[in-house]
Amino acid sequence: MVQGRGVAARQRFAGLWQPWQSSHALLLIPLVLIVVITVVDLLVPADVHLGPLLVIAPAITASFAGPRLTGVVGGLAVAAQAFIGWHFGVLFSRNVMVQILALAVLSFLIVCFCVVRERRRKELDQVRSVAEAAQHVLLWPLPEQLGPLQVACLYLAAEDEAQIGGDLYAATRIDGGARVMIGDVRGKGLDAIGEAALLLGAFREAAHKHVTLPELAAGLEQSVTHYLPDFEREEEAGERFVTTLLLEIPDADPLTRMTSCGHPPPLLLHPGDADPVPVHPAPPLGVGSTRPEDYTLDVFSFEPGDTLLLYTDGVIEARDAHGAFYPFTQRAAQWTDHSPENLLHHLRRDLLAHVGGRLADDAALIAIRRTPPGHPGRRHRRALHADAIHHRPQTAAPSR
């Protein structure tokens, strides 16, 4: 117990030490400046006046501290100026009084600036919290496990203060497998959120109702066509659309089904290799057909141990300072032996380094790995599933 108290005490001390290091350590700079300027002004000849330089102290403090601390430093600077005048016996002279008044006014203006900045910072924090809440409501984080699938997702918004934009993804369990969707609304940032929310809601509603992916794509097209005009501006009438990729991944069968509505093909990652999956895309949603027969169903083998990498065009169209596109396939092939989470971590860091830290368009990625038979994660999920069945209340099966 004594050891636990010692650890708790050290943690509390560390929690107090961190804020002191971040702001109070910087406070030494303006305080030292006040002392140095005052001492030097007392030592130099009487016709040299360094007192006006004291305004530097509150100005520097405003860069890292709030209005109260800035006001304290400003008050110390005014007091130092008054001390200099008193030392030379000219405190109430016109020149010194003007210097004191000017320093007080400038310090007051700097404090006012700090007040306005703090108010704007709080407003910005509130906007960020609302944006994060909107992201969690509209773009639910994908589960880390979908049956035998390990899943990780990444979203990078083009706009600095946006947490969500025109890219979207969703996944859900169905009987014997999972269905995954990734899409990209024409446009970026906050202007595309409405269309993204529309398609996400349509997918969550229809993913369990349609037997095949072409039928699901036709249902999504019907929803998008019906509601998309509500988000269009007059100058963009008929120009809004959404590229979408739909996947159906069975639990036990490696044959995976896919329907593309104008979306880039996924990458299939084998050990040390990355290959685009052949795809026959239909037109994007919003300009396509509501007939299932107009959508192609592609089938490919997704073997245990492989990783499927879904992405939006914000990734492959990212350019560096010289205009070169991001070599997505080559870079992804470097980390094929990593887990989905680590793979996206490497790609995020590499992509941002390629573009210089800021993307020109929204970007989204989903990494899906099919775990081999007998994988520890699979055995653990089987145990949880069996336990859930054992404790599940016996009720009548709902009719469909």
Side-chain angles (χ1 to χ4, degrees), residues 135-151:
Q135 182 184 30
H136 288 295
V137 171
L138 298 177
L139 199 62
W140 299 344
L142 300 183
E144 296 181 358
Q145 295 286 161
L146 280 173
L149 306 177
Q150 294 179 343
V151 183

Side-chain angles (χ1 to χ4, degrees), residues 210-275:
H210 298 283
V211 178
T212 66
L213 289 185
E215 292 177 353
L216 176 58
L220 295 178
E221 169 65 29
Q222 186 174 6
S223 297
V224 170
T225 303
H226 182 74
Y227 293 104
L228 195 59
D230 296 339
F231 301 97
E232 291 181 340
R233 302 173 183 174
E234 295 182 0
E235 62 273 15
E236 296 179 345
E239 297 182 1
R240 307 292 285 187
F241 58 84
V242 186
T243 66
T244 310
L245 184 70
L246 302 172
L247 287 172
E248 186 176 302
I249 308 175
D251 289 342
D253 189 355
L255 292 181
T256 298
R257 291 170 282 276
M258 173 178 61
T259 294
S260 173
C261 302
H263 201 82
L267 290 182
L268 188 59
L269 307 185
H270 312 283
D273 189 23
D275 299 308

